[in-house]
Amino acid sequence: MGKIMLEVNGLTTKYITRYNEDVYAVNNVSFKVEEGRSVGIAGESGCGKSTLALSLMGYYFAPLHYMKGDIIIDGRNISGMKPDDVRKNILGSEIAYIPQAALNALNPTRKVIKFIEDVVRVHNPKMHKKEIYDLARERFETLNLPAETLNKYPVELSGGMKQRTVIAISTILSPKVLIADEPSSALDVTSQKMVIKMIHDLMELGYIKSMIFITHELPLLYNVTDDIMVMYAGQVVEYGSAEQMVFDPLNPYSKGLMGSILVPEDGTRDEKIVAIPGTPPNLKNPPDGCRFAERCKYAKPHCRVYHVELTELSNGRASRCITSEQELREAYKNE
């Protein structure tokens, strides 16, 4: 096992509604990310992916509240740190975030270089303009972004250029952990490929030490990440290598998620797409047993009663299901 860049233990965060109701969007989540590796997080909209990302960054602003758990970055526990300390000492340099709406992340009234100066000076207030410009120019050129981009306003950039510029700015301080929240969404196929290649280059060049890549497209993660974690209703339901999760999903929810989309690598052009029936549970009042039971065609009566924890299985994977691995494989085989 390599050096652990990010370790998350029992992280639980919640939203408090205007009616003072608790919504546990991230419930007892634990995982690790090693140096040089990337972990993908997949699941339906509302499963807790983006809330987990904000929680890892320490963005606890109402209505989101930290409840318990540890977030350890390169051996340093940032849980419970004051927001100002997180902003000055952690964000950007230890952990960085590419937001879901990255195309709107840049200030339209400021040139790109001015935006970069603001980011860098939070951590290095005495750094001169020329030093910042030289750092930014070198980084942009290394990532095949023209140096003249630095002196442009966001309105002068195409959607793909904006996205790549935001990625370059987010990683300008060489963070140990990069969280990319659907960075290729809202882009055409060509721009998506450029963005994914750029992120790969950042890893290979050592500008980032590890990465979390969030998307609802499981097959995309096969080409981007080493491991995949599937979330449902605020919980982790399965974890394994990208190969395992895409071509041999075990948990019924992961299986359903893969069955509802086409995987080009399979070559199954004529395979029927089967949608997962129903909708996720209301997290203001989640069910007592398995949260996926009402939508699961393999569910038994006891699935709706007994809670089950994420359980370590063979080959380094884990799953949250009360039905044994052998029973599930037999059920899948007989379909």
Side-chain angles (χ1 to χ4, degrees):
M1 179 180 289
K3 184 178 181 181
I4 303 298
M5 284 290 105
L6 174 68
E7 182 175 356
V8 181
N9 296 317
L11 182 62
T12 300
T13 63
K14 70 177 182 180
Y15 291 103
I16 301 179
T17 71
R18 71 172 86 179
Y19 304 109
N20 206 34
E21 299 167 310
D22 293 335
V23 179
Y24 286 87
V26 174
N27 197 318
N28 195 29
V29 169
S30 301
F31 66 99
K32 296 178 182 178
V33 187
E34 296 177 27
E35 183 175 4
R37 293 185 68 83
S38 54
V39 172
I41 301 178
E44 294 171 283
S45 295
C47 72
K49 303 186 302 294
S50 293
T51 301
L52 175 60
L54 295 176
S55 300
L56 295 176
M57 296 288 293
Y59 281 164
Y60 297 115
F61 301 104
L64 181 61
H65 298 267
Y66 167 82
M67 296 304 295
K68 64 178 182 178
D70 297 317
I71 304 166
I72 304 169
I73 302 174
D74 195 18
R76 183 179 186 181
N77 196 333
I78 69 168
S79 304
M81 285 183 66
K82 295 179 180 179
D84 285 344
D85 291 339
V86 171
R87 181 171 177 269
K88 292 178 181 178
N89 303 315
I90 302 299
L91 299 184
S93 57
E94 298 294 305
I95 186 168
Y97 179 52
I98 301 173
Q100 196 168 29
L103 296 182
N104 301 320
L106 297 172
N107 188 331
T109 66
R110 295 174 71 81
K111 291 183 177 180
V112 171
I113 187 60
K114 294 297 182 183
F115 194 90
I116 293 174
E117 287 174 6
D118 291 343
V119 171
V120 173
R121 282 184 173 152
V122 169
H123 302 273
N124 302 289
K126 295 182 180 180
M127 198 168 180
H128 296 297
K129 280 188 176 183
K130 187 178 185 310
E131 292 179 285
I132 297 174
Y133 180 83
D134 289 343
L135 170 66
R137 178 180 53 78
E138 180 183 4
R139 182 62 57 87
F140 271 51
E141 289 179 344
T142 301
L143 297 173
N144 294 317
L145 285 166
E148 54 264 29
T149 306
L150 296 169
N151 290 309
K152 291 186 176 182
Y153 289 96
V155 71
E156 299 178 87
L157 305 177
S158 66
M161 282 293 291
K162 281 183 186 177
Q163 185 72 296
R164 291 158 62 202
T165 296
V166 169
I167 293 172
I169 293 173
S170 298
T171 59
I172 198 74
L173 297 173
S174 300
K176 294 172 182 175
V177 182
L178 174 68
I179 301 175
D181 193 353
E182 303 210 36
S184 60
S185 62
L187 297 177
D188 58 75
V189 175
T190 301
S191 295
Q192 284 182 354
K193 288 183 177 179
M194 293 178 72
V195 165
I196 291 172
K197 182 183 183 303
M198 186 176 181
I199 292 175
H200 271 298
D201 290 344
L202 287 166
M203 290 282 289
E204 290 179 3
L205 293 168
Y207 290 145
I208 55 177
K209 301 296 183 183
S210 61
M211 180 179 66
I212 295 172
F213 194 103
I214 298 173
T215 183
H216 61 279
E217 301 179 60
L218 246 175
L220 175 63
L221 295 178
Y222 175 73
N223 297 304
V224 179
T225 63
D226 300 301
D227 303 298
I228 296 176
M229 181 170 77
V230 174
M231 291 187 68
Y232 181 76
Q235 298 179 328
V236 178
V237 296
E238 190 170 4
Y239 188 100
S241 70
E243 184 83 17
Q244 291 169 333
M245 298 298 292
V246 172
F247 297 109
D248 184 32
L250 181 62
N251 186 278
Y253 175 67
S254 304
K255 185 80 172 175
L257 203 61
M258 280 304 305
S260 64
I261 50 181
L262 284 176
V263 184
E265 290 82 2
D266 270 344
T268 52
R269 186 183 298 270
D270 298 324
E271 185 173 324
K272 186 179 179 181
I273 297 176
V274 181
I276 301 174
T279 58
N282 188 337
L283 293 183
K284 289 188 292 187
N285 186 28
D288 294 328
C290 173
R291 296 186 174 187
F292 185 59
E294 291 301 323
R295 307 173 69 189
C296 180
K297 62 181 179 179
Y298 310 104
K300 300 173 183 177
H302 57 264
C303 294
R304 295 173 173 81
V305 178
Y306 298 107
H307 173 75
V308 62
E309 297 291 342
L310 190 68
T311 305
E312 293 288 337
L313 303 176
S314 57
N315 300 322
R317 68 196 304 180
S319 178
R320 186 188 299 271
C321 186
I322 201 167
T323 306
S324 71
E325 179 177 353
Q326 183 177 352
E327 287 181 281
L328 286 172
R329 291 198 182 283
E330 283 296 322
Y332 299 156
K333 189 188 300 182
N334 294 329
E335 287 185 342

